[in-house]
Amino acid sequence: MEREKNDLPPYSAVAAPEWPRRHRAMRRSRGVRVLALACLAFIVYAQWRQIHTAPVPKPGSTLLSIQKLQDDLEVCAKLRSKPKDPIGPGRDRNARYIDGHKPTLIKNATIWVGEPAKGTSAEDARAGVGYSWTSGDVFLEYGLIKRVERHIDVSTLSSDTLVWDAKGRRLTSGIIDMHSHSGVDNIPELVGNEDTNELSDNITPYVRSIDGLDPNDHQIEVIKSGGVTTSLILPGSGNNIGGEAFVIKHAIGQPDGRNETSATDMLADPERNWRYIKMACGENAKRVYGRAGEQGPFSRLGESWEFRHAFEQAAKYVRSQDDWCAAADAVGIENMDGYLPQEIEWETLGAVLRGQVHVNTHCYTIPDLEAFVDHTNEFKFAIRAFHHAHQTYLVPEILKRAYGDSPPASALFADNMWYKAEAYIGTEYAGKFLYDNGLTPIYVSDNPVLNAQHVVFEAAKAYGYGLPYHAAMASVTTAPAERLGFEKRLGKVKPGFDADIVVWDSDPLSVGATPVQVWIDGTAQYEDPIELVKPFEAHVDVPKGVPITKEEPLSTSDLIITGVSKSFLTQQSAGTDEQSHNLTAVISNGKITCLGTCARKLQAAQDGGARVISLDNGYLMKPFTAFGSLIGLNAIDAETVTDNGGSPDIFSRGVDGLALDTKKAHFALKYGVTRAISSPKYSGTATHQGTSVGFRTGAKHSLEKGAVFADDVAVHYTLDLNAKSGSTSISNAVGSLRRKLLEAVEANTTAADPFSEGAFLQQVVKGSLPLAITAHSADVIAAILKVKSTVDAAIASADGSSSSAGIRLVIIGGAESPIVASELAAADVGVVLSPLLSYRTSWDQRRALTGAPLTNGTAVDHLIDAGVVVAIGLEEDWVVRDLGLLAGIAYKNGGGKIDESEALDLVGANVYKMLGLSTGEMDKDVDEFVVFEGSPLEVGSRVRAVGAGLGEVKVFEYE
């Protein structure tokens, strides 16, 4: 047979049947008939053999479609091809360019090119040599950067060129977010718009994020307002193999300079040179799919089998295709007995094994990382990046063992941790450690986990945690561009690169940095953007590296601190003299005894052998207070055994569940947060019910002297969307609260149980405890203000006095609070913004202000303008590291509304003011204080000493 002649093994061997022989004599006439029948049978048999057992028919005799076979042969060529990064320089125009868009000249910019000066060695470049901010002009035409020069004469350009004056401000390439779910995980979150995970099966390489990508997701525009021009839109991490991903640009429809509104039009590379896939290791898949005795994976062991089995199926599929293509080449398509094997189910994973797909894998822990690296070597495919990658900094050698030409990057958060077991081990210094080991850190949002509008803030924090400045800039520009296969098109301000440009109002790695204008493919995205008022930067340098501090502090009672540039302690503090700068602080027995020149006490301390800390730009201030978090009541958010718990049906006291000496508390202290006020939760993170407890984060247990400064700080209820889980409706929850408060007003007797809900509500209506309500919706806040008015009237009636103070009310959350800012001010109701910068994640936050260049200010600006007392809370516990920086955003972006001291009050004094709570010893500024090197409102400041109010000072030394 043809295939046997060509020594090509068949895909399936079918044995030819053996015909029985007959041995009997026949008469001639009968023999003729038999012979005729035999000939007929032979013909039938021959035809049967040709159709059923001959793998390759004779030329010209195939019954298959020649056109289909020809198409299949063309597919063979594609299967054998290896994509290359699309070219940048050398193009006349960007494939995404829309005819009719005018060229643009950006004048007087301070430019970050994205690469070192020509001639810089690779070793020097990695060390940051050759990188600089340079002055110049940038010319954009046909969707490309055409010229980057010190000066471009506008008279040399076409007459229709638009001229935009950058006024010396910083100009970079567009920011690239390498891990986003915008468009498939729409916000505000609605069940009907949720398309992140296809959970019908654990292995779904055949699904594609583009099929659920919704251009109407407003978050895509919000993200762009933070300078993000390109995002990798990944499926979720609910299954081990989640499906195909796509790289998009954030320009949609005619308002953004496009001709159509479609997912296809958003693709960053219309030619689709590279493909992308999302996989995930660890907790998620075994949690979603693991059912003992029913289905897996139930463990990480099972997950590895799921991966290996899927790759095995894909490898068989690839072999079957390769065999067909080889046979077609050898004998010609007209001699083939079947079509090219093609299955949508395994096509994408087959392309992975062919090196045509960039693999991105969600992996946190060492076991997950090591197992997946083993898979890459067993099945011979490369991985571009591990995402989340919390523990990659511990095992750089494992990453370097991965299959391929270069080790995977680590796509990280700067400091988002502790939310589940696999996120418990990690460090904010991961980026620095990885970079020091020759690996690539990239910072991402996982939008909507973090707001991708501020993904550059993740890079800024990474710089503050020790990553070199040029590497931090690369982590959201050139590094993700290279990993995505766009190294020659995106991430740099060079001729031939896509004209994706951002001009910033300040250093993009500084607190509060905001775009003034954004260009995508050479088209300005904002006709009349809101611009914040920022001071002009007369001189621009690449900042020096930031030293990191050791994890474990030293403890001391006696300390000398020199070089204090600013003190925010009150004049009554011990021994303060008239000197206002270059101060010395003398600390004895854990208390500040002198602040100023302090000659006599300084000498005494030196004679006593006190430790000395010398600062260049020291800040001495009151500590921060974490309000609204679960610190002290939870160690790992998703692990119930580490959590105090909570339920809509239970009213309890935080002090009764206090659990101290946790990692969260340790990091709070390290970042200057000596106090926390935490309430039991109502149903989940950022919900509250019961009474909150005020405690010191440095305490070992609740019985330690000074550990608890207030047993019951406030009475908490939750009236956000979570309230429906306990009350079935918002209206019922509001009505229930009103009824409980009115019953407390009418109660004539002291409650039998002084720790019951009723007893605490009696304290609320008497004005001795504040009422703290968690709510975001302006409508719900309005309803709460009506309840307060009703209850206040009832209190006044019961007291027989129209001057009764009424209840003290605080709103936690407050995303839509600016809508009712004047009403809140009139009612003397304070607001704890949690988060400070809402991005409309839930329906009750949909009217939140996202800030410039889209909106004129954010919630904090409007509330301050209205005279509302405002504080910054923690919507999640990991934010405890960032309180100073969040206050810095309010300060830097507030247009002069508040000064440094007032900004610091947002995370300190204002909390106590709105709660009517005395700070006790902290008012005296003697044993609770924080010493920073640098302004706590700026990236790169470091806590050097903390007086935690517990009799000793914690000193943080540099590595």
Side-chain angles (χ1 to χ4, degrees):
M1 293 181 292
E2 294 295 326
R3 180 161 289 150
E4 293 172 337
K5 291 177 182 178
N6 286 280
D7 296 321
L8 294 174
Y11 294 121
S12 59
V14 179
E18 289 291 335
W19 289 88
R21 296 182 180 178
R22 295 178 179 265
H23 297 279
R24 58 187 296 186
M26 296 183 235
R27 289 180 307 200
R28 183 174 180 186
S29 61
R30 187 176 180 188
V32 171
R33 289 196 299 270
V34 169
L35 179 60
L37 289 172
C39 289
L40 180 61
F42 177 81
I43 292 170
V44 172
Y45 170 70
Q47 291 295 317
W48 180 84
R49 289 275 293 177
Q50 182 176 359
I51 294 172
H52 293 282
T53 65
V56 181
K58 292 181 180 181
S61 62
T62 181
L63 299 180
L64 302 178
S65 166
I66 293 297
Q67 182 59 54
K68 176 65 171 69
L69 291 167
Q70 183 61 47
D71 292 343
D72 284 353
L73 190 61
E74 292 176 5
V75 172
C76 288
K78 294 178 181 179
L79 295 177
R80 291 164 176 159
S81 66
K82 180 71 178 291
K84 294 181 178 179
D85 290 357
I87 65 166
R91 295 179 292 168
D92 293 326
R93 57 190 284 152
N94 187 335
R96 287 178 44 84
Y97 173 72
I98 303 296
D99 287 334
H101 286 255
K102 297 179 180 180
T104 298
L105 175 63
I106 304 172
K107 297 282 291 181
N108 305 317
T110 303
I111 303 167
W112 183 263
V113 174
E115 67 181 22
K118 188 175 181 179
T120 306
S121 69
E123 183 179 0
D124 284 347
R126 188 154 186 91
V129 176
Y131 287 90
S132 64
W133 288 95
T134 59
S135 298
D137 300 343
V138 181
F139 178 58
L140 315 177
E141 187 178 34
Y142 298 125
L144 299 175
I145 300 171
K146 285 299 184 86
R147 296 167 64 183
V148 181
E149 300 170 15
R150 178 67 185 85
H151 173 73
I152 299 176
D153 188 346
V154 68
S155 67
T156 65
L157 307 176
S158 61
S159 59
D160 63 344
T161 298
L162 305 173
V163 179
W164 197 90
D165 189 358
K167 301 177 182 177
R169 289 171 295 205
R170 316 265 189 143
L171 181 151
T172 70
S173 69
I175 300 302
I176 302 170
D177 185 3
M178 197 172 158
H179 187 136
S180 180
H181 303 292
S182 60
V184 292
D185 195 353
N186 293 19
I187 56 178
E189 297 171 354
L190 297 172
V191 172
N193 288 341
E194 164 51 46
D195 290 302
T196 317
N197 290 276
E198 175 50 56
L199 297 178
S200 58
D201 198 344
N202 183 40
I203 304 297
T204 59
Y206 42 82
V207 303
R208 309 180 301 177
S209 66
I210 196 172
D211 295 327
L213 183 59
D214 182 5
N216 287 320
D217 182 6
H218 181 66
Q219 181 67 1
I220 296 173
E221 295 293 334
V222 173
I223 291 168
K224 179 173 61 184
S225 75
V228 178
T229 56
T230 305
S231 294
L232 175 62
I233 307 302
L234 295 157
S237 56
N239 32 22
N240 286 141
I241 300 181
E244 199 162 348
F246 292 81
V247 180
I248 67 162
K249 289 195 181 184
H250 288 255
I252 304 170
Q254 292 185 357
D256 294 347
R258 309 303 301 169
N259 278 347
E260 63 178 83
T261 300
S262 68
T264 300
D265 187 65
M266 295 165 67
L267 291 176
D269 178 18
E271 289 93 13
R272 305 193 189 193
N273 287 276
W274 283 108
R275 297 167 64 186
Y276 309 87
I277 194 170
K278 169 71 175 296
M279 302 184 188
C281 320
E283 289 187 39
N284 289 5
K286 66 190 188 110
R287 172 175 48 81
V288 172
Y289 293 98
R291 302 288 185 274
E294 298 177 19
Q295 69 177 36
F298 190 79
S299 68
R300 284 179 166 84
L301 286 67
E303 287 191 12
S304 274
W305 184 88
E306 293 270 351
F307 277 123
R308 296 179 70 216
H309 182 63
F311 292 135
E312 180 183 48
Q313 300 309 305
K316 290 179 181 178
Y317 174 65
V318 167
R319 283 195 299 273
S320 71
Q321 290 185 318
D322 290 347
D323 288 346
W324 191 96
C325 293
D329 287 343
V331 303
I333 59 169
E334 67 279 3
N335 294 316
M336 297 303 294
D337 63 350
Y339 298 120
L340 173 71
Q342 295 188 73
E343 297 179 47
I344 291 178
E345 181 177 6
W346 297 113
E347 187 278 329
T348 302
L349 209 55
V352 168
L353 300 185
R354 294 184 184 280
Q356 299 170 338
V357 182
H358 283 332
V359 177
N360 291 268
T361 303
H362 157 127
C363 275
Y364 286 78
T365 69
I366 294 174
D368 292 331
L369 295 164
E370 188 165 16
F372 201 86
V373 165
D374 285 348
H375 303 332
T376 71
N377 286 300
E378 181 179 4
F379 292 95
K380 302 295 185 292
F381 66 92
I383 176 171
R384 300 299 283 183
F386 282 119
H387 290 243
H388 299 294
H390 277 51
Q391 295 178 27
T392 52
Y393 77 97
L394 294 171
V395 289
E397 65 283 356
I398 290 179
L399 269 63
K400 292 175 183 179
R401 290 206 303 262
Y403 181 82
D405 297 332
S406 61
S410 294
L412 307 160
F413 300 137
D415 49 17
N416 185 355
M417 300 172 195
W418 315 323
Y419 45 89
K420 55 182 177 177
E422 59 190 10
Y424 187 63
I425 296 175
T427 176
E428 62 271 42
Y429 304 136
K432 172 179 171 54
F433 293 156
L434 288 162
Y435 192 80
D436 288 348
N437 279 279
L439 297 169
T440 302
I442 291 171
Y443 287 90
V444 298
S445 71
D446 195 10
N447 189 89
V449 173
L450 299 183
N451 181 5
Q453 176 190 8
H454 303 300
V455 72
V456 75
F457 186 44
E458 294 299 292
K461 289 189 288 183
Y463 164 66
Y465 294 139
L467 184 64
Y469 184 89
H470 70 286
M473 287 291 293
S475 72
V476 287
T477 54
T478 53
E482 184 275 328
R483 291 285 88 185
L484 291 172
F486 287 96
E487 184 177 20
K488 300 172 185 175
R489 284 194 179 178
L490 303 178
K492 295 179 183 179
V493 183
K494 292 182 61 179
F497 278 65
D498 286 7
D500 298 343
I501 297 292
V502 184
V503 172
W504 305 84
D505 62 9
S506 51
D507 184 342
L509 297 189
S510 66
V511 163
T514 304
V516 175
Q517 183 59 275
V518 177
W519 288 262
I520 295 180
D521 302 317
T523 299
Q525 297 297 293
Y526 302 111
E527 185 174 338
D528 188 22
I530 302 296
E531 184 175 342
L532 301 175
V533 178
K534 299 280 182 76
F536 176 74
E537 299 175 286
H539 184 67
V540 176
D541 284 324
V542 175
K544 295 180 180 178
V546 178
I548 64 176
T549 53
K550 295 179 180 178
E551 293 286 345
E552 293 299 324
L554 301 174
S555 297
T556 185
S557 297
D558 302 318
L559 187 65
I560 299 168
I561 301 171
T562 65
V564 176
S565 302
K566 286 191 177 182
S567 171
F568 294 89
L569 304 185
T570 60
Q571 280 294 322
Q572 302 91 283
S573 59
T576 302
D577 60 24
E578 297 302 317
Q579 188 172 342
S580 59
H581 63 277
N582 197 23
L583 307 174
T584 295
V586 178
I587 300 161
S588 298
N589 296 319
K591 298 182 179 181
I592 297 176
T593 57
C594 184
L595 178 62
T597 53
C598 304
R600 183 176 58 82
K601 290 192 175 182
L602 176 60
Q603 186 62 52
Q606 288 173 333
D607 293 344
R611 181 182 295 273
V612 178
I613 297 178
S614 298
L615 304 174
D616 295 323
N617 182 27
Y619 274 60
L620 178 60
M621 48 174 284
K622 297 177 183 180
F624 303 142
T625 297
F627 183 57
S629 73
L630 287 172
I631 296 172
L633 297 172
N634 173 285
I636 303 173
D637 297 357
E639 293 290 335
T640 57
V641 296
T642 76
D643 181 48
N644 172 64
S647 166
D649 302 323
I650 296 173
F651 184 96
S652 62
R653 302 173 72 210
V655 69
D656 293 335
L658 199 57
L660 303 179
D661 197 20
T662 63
K663 182 180 284 191
K664 291 181 179 181
H666 296 167
F667 275 90
L669 188 70
K670 180 179 178 180
Y671 284 88
V673 181
T674 67
R675 293 185 174 204
I677 299 172
S678 300
S679 161
K681 62 188 179 184
Y682 173 80
S683 59
T685 302
T687 65
H688 312 91
Q689 180 155 294
T691 65
S692 50
V693 55
F695 64 95
R696 289 185 170 86
T697 58
K700 297 294 184 184
H701 55 79
S702 61
L703 295 180
E704 184 178 341
K705 184 179 179 181
V708 176
F709 63 84
D711 284 342
D712 300 289
V713 174
V715 174
H716 293 256
Y717 292 99
T718 290
L719 289 176
D720 65 8
L721 295 180
N722 292 285
K724 290 188 282 188
S725 65
S727 297
T728 69
S729 71
I730 297 295
S731 56
N732 183 46
V734 172
S736 175
L737 176 62
R738 181 193 302 111
R739 183 169 58 255
K740 289 178 181 179
L741 289 167
L742 291 174
E743 288 173 354
V745 172
E746 296 170 359
N748 296 318
T749 59
T750 302
D753 179 0
F755 303 113
S756 66
E757 180 178 8
F760 284 118
L761 287 174
Q762 286 182 24
Q763 293 186 54
V764 168
V765 299
K766 290 176 182 176
S768 56
L769 272 184
L771 178 66
I773 306 296
T774 299
H776 284 294
S777 165
D779 301 302
V780 172
I781 294 172
I784 295 167
L785 291 177
K786 288 181 181 179
V787 169
K788 172 176 165 54
S789 178
T790 299
V791 175
D792 286 352
I795 293 171
S797 176
D799 292 346
S801 170
S802 59
S803 61
S804 176
I807 62 175
R808 180 183 292 273
L809 179 62
V810 174
I811 300 296
I812 302 174
E816 294 187 356
S817 59
I819 297 172
V820 288
S822 58
E823 290 81 1
L824 288 164
D828 194 24
V829 174
V831 175
V832 180
L833 291 172
S834 179
L836 170 67
L837 302 172
S838 170
Y839 52 109
R840 311 177 178 187
T841 52
S842 57
W843 184 253
D844 56 351
Q845 300 181 54
R846 69 190 183 280
R847 293 177 287 179
L849 301 173
T850 56
L854 292 179
T855 68
N856 189 7
T858 62
V860 66
D861 302 305
H862 289 257
L863 292 172
I864 289 172
D865 281 344
V868 177
V869 178
V870 187
I872 298 172
L874 285 74
E875 74 278 18
E876 294 183 69
D877 295 351
W878 63 268
V879 180
V880 73
R881 291 185 179 93
D882 297 342
L883 284 181
L885 299 181
L886 294 176
I889 291 172
Y891 168 63
K892 294 289 287 292
N893 291 2
K897 293 182 179 68
I898 56 176
D899 60 23
E900 284 185 302
S901 179
E902 291 167 322
L904 293 170
D905 286 346
L906 295 172
V907 287
N910 285 8
V911 173
Y912 301 92
K913 182 178 180 180
M914 68 177 64
L915 293 171
L917 187 67
S918 169
T919 57
E921 302 87 357
M922 207 160 83
D923 289 330
K924 303 174 186 177
D925 295 324
V926 291
D927 65 348
E928 281 192 86
F929 57 87
V930 182
V931 180
F932 278 86
E933 176 65 270
S935 168
L937 305 176
E938 295 281 3
V939 168
S941 62
R942 284 90 67 209
V943 172
R944 296 304 313 280
V946 179
L950 297 170
E952 62 181 8
V953 178
K954 299 294 185 182
V955 176
F956 293 89
E957 295 188 316
Y958 293 137
E959 287 280 2

